[in-house]
Amino acid sequence: MDQEQRALRDCLGQFASGVTVVTTADGTAVHGATVSSFTSVSLAPPLILVSLDRRSRTCHRLATAPTFGVNVLAADQRDLALLFAGHAGGPAPEIHWTGGTRAPQLPGAVAHFTCRPWAGYDGGDHVLHIGEVIDFEAPGGPPLVFHSGTLGELNRTPGGTVWAGSLDGPAHGWAADFGALAATGGTP
């Protein structure tokens, strides 16, 4: 990686993201890769996007899999993130997969999505896989976060919300203005 690519990677790393493990199965073998490039695309139809390095085995498997899973990791699943990124430092933890062979799920994850492949797009050294969400669940909990090359957890402000005291919050500003316009039949 040259200096300019490294500088760009470091700059992109300033955007904090959640951490997922994308999974698929062929027969009884489960395959997975740690992915932080995951986002919602559409609610109707329900679509998500994962970006995988085109050199990864999981990337190639997603192209032909009938379904795949996206597991949003919990803050205490750092070891699994490292394992599926190929950076495990010790013996692999024993994993008791759930969800069957349709879309293997990691127990303890804060959310699971089962997807049917929708489309794949060239993304340079990555492939952008769009999946149609056919099932999902959110057991919840604190998520694992990736920022500036580090895995960690969110530091939440005790007793507050991000909107508290903000004029842009749902109780003030844009949401109140939009609600008033909608109630009178106006347009923004």
Side-chain angles (χ1 to χ4, degrees), residues 169-181:
H172 307 288
W174 63 267
D177 294 342
F178 189 77
L181 284 172

Side-chain angles (χ1 to χ4, degrees), residues 17-23 32-39 49-52 69-74 80-81 84-85 106 109 111 113 144 146 151:
S17 64
V19 181
T20 69
V21 170
V22 175
T23 57
T34 300
V35 175
S36 61
S37 296
F38 162 74
T39 191
L49 176 144
V50 292
S51 176
L52 290 156
V70 178
N71 300 271
V72 180
L73 297 185
L80 292 176
F84 287 99
L106 286 166
F113 299 88
L144 185 62
F146 182 72
L151 293 167

Side-chain angles (χ1 to χ4, degrees), residues 24-26 61-68 101-102 114-117 134:
T24 189
D26 63 37
R61 287 184 173 103
L62 255 61
T64 59
T67 59
F68 65 92
T101 58
R102 192 165 122 170
T114 300
C115 303
R116 184 175 20 249
I134 57 175

Side-chain angles (χ1 to χ4, degrees), residues 6-178:
R6 184 69 201 169
L8 175 59
R9 184 176 178 171
D10 291 346
C11 189
L12 291 168
Q14 295 306 303
F15 182 74
S17 64
V19 181
T20 69
V21 170
V22 175
T23 57
T24 189
D26 63 37
T28 59
V30 174
H31 308 280
T34 300
V35 175
S36 61
S37 296
F38 162 74
T39 191
S40 162
V41 173
S42 169
L43 292 176
L47 302 174
I48 58 92
L49 176 144
V50 292
S51 176
L52 290 156
D53 188 312
R54 67 175 57 252
R55 297 170 298 175
S56 79
R57 292 184 299 268
T58 302
C59 181
H60 298 288
R61 287 184 173 103
L62 255 61
T64 59
T67 59
F68 65 92
V70 178
N71 300 271
V72 180
L73 297 185
D76 64 355
Q77 293 182 310
R78 183 178 186 278
D79 59 334
L80 292 176
L82 293 173
L83 173 70
F84 287 99
H87 300 294
E94 186 174 340
I95 300 170
H96 299 283
W97 295 97
T98 62
T101 58
R102 192 165 122 170
Q105 297 175 350
L106 286 166
V110 299
H112 302 280
F113 299 88
T114 300
C115 303
R116 184 175 20 249
W118 177 273
Y121 298 100
D122 180 11
D125 58 4
H126 280 60
V127 175
L128 309 177
H129 292 275
I130 307 285
E132 179 183 19
V133 178
I134 57 175
D135 195 18
F136 62 93
E137 67 175 327
L144 185 62
V145 178
F146 182 72
H147 176 260
S148 195
T150 304
L151 293 167
E153 57 186 280
L154 290 175
N155 292 323
R156 297 182 184 252
T157 305
T161 66
V162 295
W163 296 110
S166 170
L167 294 178
D168 287 332
H172 307 288
W174 63 267
D177 294 342
F178 189 77

